[in-house]
Amino acid sequence: MKHFEANFDGLVGPTHNYAGLSFGNVASLSNAALVSNPKAAAKQGLQKAKALADMGMVQGMLAPQERPDLYTLRRIGFSGSDANVLKQAAKEAPMLLNACCSASSMWTANAATVSPSADTRDGKLHFTPANLVDKLHRSIEPLTTGRILTATFSDPHYFHHHSHLPEHNSFGDEGAANHTRLCNEYGHAGVELFVYGQEATNPNAPKPQKYPARQTLEASMAVARLHQLEEENCVFIQQNPDVIDQGVFHNDVIAVGNQNVLFYHEQAFLNTQHKIDEIKRKLDTELYFIEVPTAKVAINDAVKSYLFNTQIITLPSGEMAIIAPTDCQENPAVFAYLNELLTLNTPIKQVLYFDVKQSMQNGGGPACLRLRVAMNEMEVAAVNQHTLMNDALFARLNLWVDKHYRDRLTTQDLADPQLIIESRTALDELTQIMKLGSVYQFQR
Ligand SMILES: NCCC[C@H](NC(=O)CCC(=O)O)C(=O)O
């Protein structure tokens, strides 16, 4: 049977904006109050997804969430008509309004953790939506994420959906951004790497001093239990707290893996050698550990360029390619490193650059925009086929974006009640295009 690693990219929602909501995420903070272009953002994302589909990759799209989130605004005491809820919130608590308007569900690397059927005891593919408790604007995503995932991966014969973990800091969970799977072939049992920022129940364990560690060991272990993984197939690695304090808020800002390749910065982890030995013990295949030294790429350059927030994909030819943001071309040290990488005799043979600047300005690179789902051909056939990228869906979604999206949005605009109508009209049509059913609260 054939096996694939599919990428499901988040479609950028109509309220994409820069509100500076993510303390610890350097780009989010430094670009706060910039004017965004939701139309361009959505199109940049579609271009990348289509390019991967054109390379012969299995590529899907995940629908965005309903924003403004009027339900949360009402839950915290704003009342009256929809327009009044926005007006009151804008006046009394603009930051809370901003949190309820973020299009942050576009970063589907944080939507969930996924374990392919080759790794799980029941032979099903498991999904656990991330609770994202560390950031208010993201903590309101998981329920709808669960519905969208269930509508996309709907056949219970193949797909096992869990609830998100308890909504408490002890279980801070950011999904696949802190999870990588190494394997020989996608369809063979692999080793799942869970990278966490802190141990919530051990006050003496190392943790960052300046910025939050969003992922806990307790959350990672809970996901591994839920997904019915064998201990022999899991490695739990602590992220280096010093790099979290330098803006590495998720592991996918400092490391990325694919099949038998782990590409990471020298400073990414704690106890690196010990953990590499554990991976080698647990995965009996030829492995490539590509460690990037600080002398070649400083942490600051990695964070600015998102060298590690690249996708490493295996092309149908069997060669690997890196999907990088154009920001990597613009950073001399990083560009030089990527050119050198192609000469190093690893499976990575090409680097392809994509402009995803609208997302990058909020700290989301190519890898943040996608959720990886390794599947066999029967599982691919069981996916909701209307979510899979092809010429027709690409054309349809571009028209849909042209029809419904603004090309300019400021945080002041978030109080505009017309945005509610625009967003709901767009999403209602989208659920028909992607045959998702009534996944949104306003449809229920
Ligand atoms: N995986 C990339 C996630 C980026 C995301 N940025 C944001 O939410 C920024 C939103 C804003 O500031 O408007 C985050 O930090 O979780």
Side-chain angles (χ1 to χ4, degrees):
M1 186 151 36
K2 279 198 187 143
H3 295 86
F4 311 89
E5 184 167 83
N7 287 291
F8 280 78
D9 281 40
L11 187 48
V12 177
T15 62
H16 161 63
N17 72 92
Y18 300 116
L21 300 173
S22 279
F23 178 63
N25 167 343
V26 181
S28 155
L29 270 279
S30 56
N31 291 312
L34 217 72
V35 179
S36 69
N37 183 338
K39 186 179 281 187
K43 292 198 162 193
Q44 287 174 353
L46 285 168
Q47 286 289 353
K48 168 172 94 77
K50 179 62 161 53
L52 266 73
D54 288 345
M55 290 174 213
M57 306 295 294
V58 180
Q59 175 71 53
M61 297 304 296
L62 291 174
Q65 304 222 347
E66 178 191 350
R67 297 287 180 273
D69 179 349
L70 288 148
Y71 316 97
T72 298
L73 288 168
R74 289 184 194 279
R75 197 174 152 196
I76 56 176
F78 298 109
S79 58
S81 64
D82 288 352
N84 202 59
V85 166
L86 292 190
K87 199 170 128 200
Q88 234 187 318
K91 188 162 146 239
E92 292 173 29
M95 282 312 278
L96 296 182
L97 174 64
N98 293 350
C100 290
C101 291
S102 176
S104 53
S105 68
M106 70 170 85
W107 299 296
T108 52
N110 309 116
T113 306
V114 183
S115 293
S117 55
D119 293 354
T120 64
R121 278 197 292 278
D122 66 357
K124 292 191 185 187
L125 216 149
H126 288 242
F127 296 86
T128 298
N131 60 21
L132 300 169
V133 285
D134 188 62
K135 297 282 176 269
L136 173 63
H137 68 291
R138 306 223 58 184
S139 69
I140 55 180
E141 294 176 29
L143 272 182
T144 304
T145 299
R147 283 192 205 130
I148 292 170
L149 287 172
T150 308
T152 308
F153 304 92
S154 47
D155 189 337
H157 182 72
Y158 294 102
F159 307 119
H160 189 151
H161 295 274
H162 301 276
S163 304
H164 58 280
L165 297 178
E167 293 154 24
H168 184 269
N169 287 340
S170 300
F171 289 106
D173 180 18
E174 302 273 323
N178 293 323
H179 175 257
T180 303
R181 177 173 183 262
L182 299 179
C183 59
N184 177 4
E185 297 286 337
Y186 291 125
H188 297 175
V191 162
E192 300 199 14
L193 311 185
F194 291 86
V195 182
Y196 60 93
Q198 69 171 330
E199 250 177 89
T201 52
N202 176 2
N204 300 321
K207 60 173 181 205
Q209 301 302 310
K210 186 173 163 202
Y211 290 144
R214 298 198 200 181
Q215 180 87 31
T216 67
L217 172 62
E218 290 78 355
S220 298
M221 290 184 128
V223 171
R225 274 191 296 273
L226 285 167
H227 290 195
Q228 305 184 20
L229 304 177
E230 301 295 347
E231 207 192 315
E232 276 318 294
N233 296 342
C234 296
V235 178
F236 297 92
I237 307 176
Q238 181 158 7
Q239 206 181 342
N240 178 356
D242 291 347
V243 298
I244 296 180
D245 281 339
Q246 291 172 69
V248 180
F249 57 98
H250 287 140
N251 177 58
D252 68 1
V253 177
I254 198 81
V256 54
N258 176 53
Q259 281 190 320
N260 59 348
V261 173
L262 187 63
F263 177 50
Y264 60 98
H265 193 276
E266 179 184 9
Q267 295 184 58
F269 312 119
L270 287 186
N271 302 322
T272 310
Q273 194 50 51
H274 180 70
K275 289 295 162 185
I276 286 178
D277 292 342
E278 186 180 343
I279 296 169
K280 286 183 181 158
R281 207 169 55 241
K282 291 182 169 176
L283 191 61
D284 183 19
T285 189
E286 186 187 14
L287 288 162
Y288 292 84
F289 292 96
I290 309 176
E291 183 176 290
V292 182
T294 308
K296 291 207 168 137
V297 178
I299 297 293
N300 186 37
D301 285 322
V303 170
K304 269 203 259 172
S305 68
Y306 266 33
L307 168 62
F308 298 96
N309 202 262
T310 44
Q311 298 175 239
I312 305 179
I313 58 172
T314 303
L315 298 166
S317 66
E319 283 185 357
M320 293 191 194
I322 288 197
I323 305 299
T326 45
D327 309 66
C328 286
Q329 269 174 316
E330 291 154 16
N331 181 305
V334 168
F335 188 54
Y337 179 81
L338 279 170
N339 288 330
E340 186 194 325
L341 174 61
L342 298 181
T343 67
L344 293 185
N345 217 12
T346 76
I348 300 168
K349 301 296 180 206
Q350 30 172 326
V351 184
L352 300 159
Y353 295 94
F354 287 85
D355 177 2
V356 288
K357 282 202 189 292
Q358 285 287 322
S359 169
M360 283 288 287
Q361 287 171 167
N362 252 337
C368 289
L369 286 162
R370 62 94 168 91
L371 182 66
R372 291 189 281 186
V373 188
M375 288 184 281
N376 62 40
E377 55 193 341
M378 279 155 72
E379 291 160 344
V380 175
V383 169
N384 171 346
Q385 300 293 302
H386 304 278
T387 65
L388 295 181
M389 183 53 80
N390 52 33
D391 291 345
L393 186 67
F394 181 69
R396 187 86 202 266
L397 289 179
N398 273 294
L399 282 175
W400 172 82
V401 169
D402 281 328
K403 179 167 154 201
H404 298 286
Y405 280 50
R406 299 187 186 188
D407 58 11
R408 192 192 140 83
L409 200 64
T410 66
T411 46
Q412 282 72 43
D413 296 329
L414 301 175
D416 176 3
Q418 187 59 31
L419 201 57
I420 305 172
I421 298 164
E422 286 170 25
S423 171
R424 288 183 176 172
T425 309
L427 295 181
D428 204 37
E429 194 180 315
L430 184 69
T431 54
Q432 293 163 42
I433 297 173
M434 295 174 81
K435 306 244 184 306
L436 296 173
S438 302
V439 288
Y440 300 114
Q441 204 66 34
F442 75 90
Q443 297 173 312
R444 295 163 87 100

